Amino acid sequence: MINKTVLSLATILILNTFSISSAEPITSDTHQGNWYDDSVIYFKNNKSLNLDDYFNKFEPNKNIERKEIIALFKKVSDSIVNTEGYIFPEAPFKDIPDDENIKKSIDWAYDNLITNGINDNEFAPDNNLTREEAITFIYRLSKIFNLNLNDISKTIEFDDYDDSSSFAKKPIKWAIDKEIIKGYDNKIYPKNNITQAEILQMTYNLFNKMNENKENNFSLSFERDDIQDIVLINSNFKKIKADKENLEEFLKEFEELKFSSVESRENTKANTLIAEFIFKESSNKLSYSFFESHINCGSYKYKISDESSKKLKSLIKKWDSLEGEDFEENQGKLNK
């Protein structure tokens, strides 16, 4: 089975990690001498994001709750690819607030493997978000929009890197390598709570870097160490479990495909080839559904480029011809 790996569209986020001086909430669109003023002005003027509720209670030094950051990230993601018409599968958490917008945001985050919760049944929506959690959420969010996550070359030199949790170590390495984290006093402070101003500045830098690094055609990128297994379920309802050799061959063929755009997918039911990735860290699953012109994953549709159209059709035919076990229980439900 495989660990989750999500498509993404060249995006780099930079998390500024300065100490925040005490300051009054910003109430106008003019600079007030704060390091985060540019981000506030940008987002207040970007009406497509509809962040009025966020700014009505914006306090730069205040901590941000887990449910608030997920709601913010969904708005950011929807400003790029709007998933408003998509009906998300329900997240399994028992502690989701009775608020339709928050519930939809958490369902979106779970569907796209941005969050697994603090355990199988709890999301802890009211808990403050730590810096290492914020970096991990950013890392997972970046996967949707095709940032290459595998090329990490820098040496970790921060004094407190070893203090970070196991789930955050790879995201932190990535963030350091991509200069998403600058740190201060040669430390990351992974267990400290992150503030509203830091999150806003981080999101502002995401937009800037994304605009700098757009690509017309992009490929999927998979982290081999994360993947536990891959199961193919073809349109003949045959289940094929990839062995180590076939798994690597499958991933390489998949990575050779070029995609032209990311769009919101529709809630459609269709019998098609599905590649189900199962991840080591959490045993979570992420399913890719293959069609001749696109691939569905989570809430998103990845349109195949013209140059890869024939190759995708050939691969679907090849994978669909493989022999495997009957998978009767999934007949009529292959809609992921």
Side-chain angles (χ1 to χ4, degrees):
M1 302 179 179
I2 166 175
N3 201 326
K4 59 191 182 178
T5 307
V6 189
L7 308 143
S8 42
L9 179 81
T11 299
I12 298 180
L13 330 173
I14 297 180
L15 173 56
N16 284 323
T17 56
F18 306 117
S19 300
I20 299 182
S21 59
S22 59
E24 294 298 321
I26 288 185
T27 56
S28 71
D29 290 346
T30 59
H31 278 269
Q32 299 187 3
N34 303 305
W35 60 263
Y36 50 81
D37 283 356
D38 283 344
S39 65
V40 172
I41 292 168
Y42 176 82
F43 285 115
K44 289 189 76 173
N45 289 332
N46 190 335
K47 299 304 181 184
S48 65
L49 281 169
N50 191 24
L51 293 178
D52 289 345
D53 289 345
Y54 186 84
F55 285 113
N56 287 339
K57 55 185 179 182
F58 179 70
E59 297 179 43
N61 296 330
K62 188 177 179 181
N63 298 325
I64 189 166
E65 296 174 352
R66 287 167 59 84
K67 66 176 182 286
E68 292 173 330
I69 189 59
I70 291 299
L72 177 64
F73 279 178
K74 184 178 186 300
K75 285 189 174 184
V76 168
S77 180
D78 279 351
S79 75
I80 304 166
V81 179
N82 195 320
T83 59
E84 201 58 41
Y86 180 74
I87 301 172
F88 304 100
E90 284 195 16
F93 311 125
K94 307 301 183 185
D95 58 352
I96 298 177
D98 187 18
D99 180 298
E100 186 61 30
N101 289 330
I102 292 175
K103 181 183 183 304
K104 187 179 291 187
S105 297
I106 294 172
D107 288 345
W108 162 81
Y110 186 80
D111 189 39
N112 293 286
L113 299 187
I114 293 170
T115 180
N116 305 317
I118 62 170
N119 57 48
D120 290 343
N121 299 311
E122 293 179 288
F123 176 69
D126 299 327
N127 285 11
N128 289 329
L129 191 75
T130 65
R131 291 172 61 80
E132 67 178 8
E133 288 175 327
I135 293 167
T136 301
F137 284 174
I138 295 163
Y139 173 77
R140 293 170 180 170
L141 177 66
S142 73
K143 290 180 179 181
I144 295 174
F145 300 107
N146 191 39
L147 175 61
N148 187 338
L149 303 172
N150 296 327
D151 183 18
I152 298 175
S153 58
K154 289 184 181 176
T155 303
I156 307 301
E157 296 178 347
F158 289 90
D159 295 339
D160 59 351
Y161 170 75
D162 289 339
D163 296 339
S164 59
S165 301
S166 59
F167 70 81
K169 290 190 182 300
K170 190 165 189 176
I172 289 172
K173 282 184 179 179
W174 164 81
I176 292 169
D177 189 75
K178 307 302 179 185
E179 298 184 342
I180 291 166
I181 304 171
K182 293 184 177 180
Y184 52 98
D185 300 331
N186 205 44
K187 292 185 178 181
I188 305 165
Y189 296 98
K191 304 297 184 182
N192 283 15
N193 292 329
I194 201 163
T195 66
Q196 291 184 13
E198 287 177 316
I199 285 292
L200 201 65
Q201 183 67 36
M202 168 198 70
T203 310
Y204 172 65
N205 289 330
L206 158 65
F207 268 66
N208 284 341
K209 289 297 178 179
M210 185 175 59
N211 288 333
E212 292 174 10
N213 292 281
K214 283 184 178 177
E215 294 181 358
N216 291 327
N217 288 334
F218 58 94
S219 303
L220 304 184
S221 178
F222 295 95
E223 303 157 81
R224 296 328 194 245
D225 292 343
D226 290 346
I227 298 172
Q228 179 176 321
D229 204 354
I230 297 175
V231 174
L232 293 179
I233 304 166
N234 66 27
S235 58
N236 298 315
F237 303 108
K238 297 293 184 181
K239 177 179 176 182
I240 303 101
K241 184 176 179 181
D243 57 30
K244 283 190 176 181
E245 182 178 339
N246 290 339
L247 184 148
E248 181 60 28
E249 180 184 355
F250 173 85
L251 289 176
K252 284 182 178 179
E253 290 174 330
F254 202 170
E255 288 174 331
E256 289 173 359
L257 297 172
K258 298 288 185 181
F259 298 87
S260 58
S261 65
V262 185
E263 303 172 5
S264 176
R265 62 167 288 190
E266 300 171 354
N267 290 92
T268 56
K269 292 187 177 181
N271 292 342
T272 185
L273 185 139
I274 290 176
E276 188 174 76
F277 287 67
I278 301 149
F279 299 99
K280 294 175 183 175
E281 179 184 316
S282 59
S283 294
N284 272 356
K285 299 176 183 178
L286 190 64
S287 296
Y288 293 90
S289 302
F290 291 80
F291 299 85
E292 290 190 350
S293 63
H294 66 277
I295 291 174
N296 286 344
C297 180
S299 312
Y300 300 93
K301 175 197 292 185
Y302 297 83
K303 296 281 290 183
I304 197 75
S305 69
D306 291 340
E307 65 185 273
S308 289
S309 179
K310 288 183 179 179
K311 181 172 182 60
L312 177 60
K313 291 175 184 177
S314 174
L315 287 177
I316 291 174
K317 186 175 180 180
K318 172 185 172 181
W319 296 333
D320 226 6
S321 67
L322 297 174
E323 293 296 326
E325 305 172 3
D326 288 339
F327 198 59
E328 300 293 337
E329 68 263 33
N330 234 27
Q331 289 201 29
K333 296 192 293 184
L334 300 186
N335 64 333
K336 285 193 171 183

